[in-house]
Amino acid sequence: MNRGLKNRHVQMISLGGVIGSGYFLGTGYVLEKAGPAAILAYLLGGVIVLCVMLSLAELAVAKPVSGSFVAYARENISSTWACGVGWAYWLNWMAYVPSEMIAAGIIMNNFVPEVSQLWWAVFFGLVVTVLNLFRVDKFGESEFWLSLVKILALVAFSVVAALICLGLFGGEGFIGTRILLSSGGFTPNGWWAIVLTMVIILVNFQGTEIIGLAAGECKEPEKSIPIAVRNVTWRIIALYIVPISLLISILPWEEASISESVFAAALAAHGLDSLAAALAFVVLTAAVSCSNSGLYSSARALYSLARMDMAPAFLAQINSKGVPRNSILMSVSACWLVILLYTFNPDSAVYTYLLAVSGCTGAIAWISICWSQYRFRRRLIAEGLEHTLRYKTPFFPYVTLFGIWAQVFCLVVLAFTPDLRQAFYMGVPMLVVPMLWHRLRSLYRARVAAARNG
């Protein structure tokens, strides 16, 4: 594959997957459930992200291949597990990318009502398809600018919200912690609400693992990947914790919902309607950007599965531009199918349910990354080759084990949460069914080979 991604491309591709419409809309669900304590929930999510990214950096630098954690799982865990994780990850994006396209369609439909949201969703699907079919450096450049718009918008929101809190903007005087602690204190729904929202929060953080998927197309991965991991991790924490802390200081948490962007609602509540309208276009950019990076990652995962004989062979073909065109077309076709299915059931509850399913399968992929790194390092230690690593996950094995068990705990909580339990029941088969298929096929092939030799 063509190693055309620069360091700035890798960082922005990862941020593009993280700051999607789910961030602007899904944050409303977290605030509604946890109140101001959502700040702690996002901090905990940031720590988990850091653990996963440090583990991924070690693997990606040691073996920079496109397909990333699917290849690492096969090498360090088992081919059966790799097949399950790879297909679960692909199915995860096949549900989430269309939701971003539909979100973009809804936004455009508000501005141009004579064109239905379905046609807008299809239009944005075509846009991200064309962007992904370009050479990878062109894709990286497009994602760089799309992500930059979102980052600048969040920085601008933080500045305006800080001025409102200080009484320098909005005409309400010094606010301080008046709104933050006015409705039930810092934990109005108890400390357990922090845990209950962790699955949705991990969905919002998903996309960081795209760094590993991009490693096979990155220039000088031994230098770019560690830098990208460090920068992306801290930027994610800053772009989540700071804006959300300011958001909940100017908007009462009980007014948050997923029916609209809570950031726009906060600005509108203080009479800044024009800025609130501008944020609608930022959410549009976020949706297109997240669809763009999501399609990229899903196509690379599918390409990796095909190369490992876990998907049809034609999906492993590379065109003259070094792009897995068949995997991209297969992925975008599945996205379009889901878009059509969504139009027959445009229930708003589907959005939250979709986030939960994505959180389940995404957590499985992150657990796989940490598990692979744990076994990889243990093997090198046993062989006396640990010194050959060009990048090491610090504080091993504590960082890795925390990353694993914190997410296992989140999945257990998901299984026992009434509102989200069905998402767990749907997410687990996405992992188990491909594993069973791969295992049965392997046994069948072994019997056929034995019969021929016998």
Side-chain angles (χ1 to χ4, degrees):
M1 299 181 76
N2 180 22
R3 291 188 180 272
L5 291 179
K6 301 176 183 178
N7 180 39
R8 64 185 178 90
H9 292 158
V10 175
Q11 294 186 47
M12 287 300 186
I13 288 171
S14 182
L15 285 174
V18 171
I19 308 174
S21 65
Y23 172 55
F24 292 98
L25 299 177
T27 297
Y29 174 85
V30 177
L31 297 181
E32 184 182 8
K33 297 296 182 181
I39 298 171
L40 294 181
Y42 275 106
L43 276 173
L44 179 58
V47 172
I48 294 175
V49 170
L50 179 60
C51 293
V52 175
M53 290 302 99
L54 291 173
S55 299
L56 179 59
E58 180 178 306
L59 294 168
V61 171
K63 191 173 183 180
V65 295
S66 184
S68 164
F69 57 86
V70 181
Y72 305 145
R74 184 184 67 165
E75 182 178 338
N76 298 288
I77 303 175
S78 72
S79 59
T80 301
W81 175 262
C83 182
V85 168
W87 278 107
Y89 186 75
W90 183 77
L91 290 170
N92 164 44
W93 283 111
M94 290 308 96
Y96 193 69
V97 170
S99 75
E100 296 288 343
M101 296 178 184
I102 290 172
I106 293 172
I107 294 167
M108 287 303 300
N109 182 248
N110 291 331
F111 290 100
V112 189
E114 58 269 20
V115 179
S116 71
Q117 66 184 52
L118 172 62
W119 289 114
W120 280 119
V122 171
F123 169 74
F124 289 117
L126 290 172
V127 169
V128 297
T129 302
V130 172
L131 290 175
N132 273 266
L133 288 174
F134 278 142
R135 290 187 320 182
V136 71
D137 57 334
K138 303 300 182 184
F139 161 78
E141 197 66 26
S142 67
E143 189 57 28
F144 174 84
W145 292 107
L146 286 171
S147 297
L148 187 60
V149 170
K150 297 182 290 187
I151 293 171
L152 292 176
L154 287 175
V155 171
F157 172 84
S158 298
V159 171
V160 172
L163 293 175
I164 292 174
C165 283
L166 295 173
L168 301 176
F169 205 53
E172 295 188 21
F174 182 77
I175 295 177
T177 60
R178 185 173 74 246
I179 295 177
L180 180 69
L181 303 176
S182 62
S183 303
F186 189 72
T187 56
N189 295 325
W191 293 99
W192 187 245
I194 297 175
V195 178
L196 295 178
T197 57
M198 279 305 301
V199 174
I200 301 298
I201 287 173
L202 291 179
V203 174
N204 287 349
F205 280 125
Q206 281 178 30
T208 51
E209 74 284 342
I210 299 175
I211 289 177
L213 289 164
E217 298 168 90
C218 180
K219 294 180 179 178
E220 297 182 307
E222 68 279 359
K223 296 180 181 180
S224 298
I225 297 299
I227 294 174
V229 166
R230 287 194 297 268
N231 290 346
V232 167
T233 300
W234 295 116
R235 287 177 187 177
I236 286 172
I237 293 174
L239 290 172
Y240 271 83
I241 304 305
V242 173
I244 289 173
S245 298
L246 292 168
L247 166 68
I248 207 165
S249 296
I250 64 174
L251 179 73
W253 66 268
E254 63 267 32
E255 295 181 15
S257 69
I258 63 170
S259 60
E260 62 176 334
S261 169
V262 284
F263 295 91
L267 294 176
H270 293 274
L272 303 175
D273 294 329
S274 58
L275 290 178
L279 265 180
F281 282 102
V282 175
V283 178
L284 172 64
T285 303
V288 174
S289 174
C290 192
S291 298
N292 199 26
S293 57
L295 184 57
Y296 172 89
S297 60
S298 62
R300 268 56 182 181
L302 192 58
Y303 163 79
S304 182
L305 287 168
R307 289 206 47 175
M308 291 185 288
D309 194 29
M310 298 176 186
F314 77 94
L315 296 173
Q317 295 177 7
I318 301 293
N319 65 10
S320 59
K321 298 178 181 178
V323 173
R325 182 178 60 184
N326 291 342
S327 291
I328 293 172
L329 293 176
M330 177 74 171
S331 298
V332 80
S333 297
C335 289
W336 287 345
L337 177 62
V338 176
I339 288 173
L340 291 175
L341 293 176
Y342 280 170
T343 59
F344 294 105
N345 185 23
D347 188 353
S348 60
V350 174
Y351 184 79
T352 303
Y353 180 73
L354 176 61
L355 292 180
V357 173
S358 182
C360 180
T361 52
I364 291 171
W366 281 12
I367 290 170
S368 181
I369 290 171
C370 294
W371 189 9
S372 297
Q373 186 271 331
Y374 180 83
R375 300 192 69 170
F376 172 72
R377 177 75 78 88
R378 284 296 188 192
R379 188 178 75 248
L380 289 185
I381 292 174
E383 296 173 354
L385 299 175
E386 186 182 16
H387 65 280
T388 62
L389 289 173
R390 289 171 290 179
Y391 178 84
K392 296 180 181 179
T393 301
F395 305 109
F396 179 84
Y398 306 108
V399 166
T400 306
L401 292 176
F402 177 80
I404 293 173
W405 291 110
Q407 293 179 91
V408 170
F409 178 70
C410 288
L411 291 179
V412 172
V413 171
L414 177 66
F416 289 94
T417 302
D419 294 344
L420 304 175
R421 186 179 300 157
Q422 290 183 347
F424 178 82
Y425 295 148
M426 184 176 178
V428 170
M430 290 182 180
L431 171 73
V432 174
V433 171
M435 289 177 65
L436 290 175
W437 169 79
H438 181 268
R439 188 61 182 166
L440 291 174
R441 191 181 68 155
S442 298
L443 292 173
Y444 172 76
R445 288 184 172 180
R447 288 185 179 181
V448 171
R452 288 177 179 174
N453 296 331

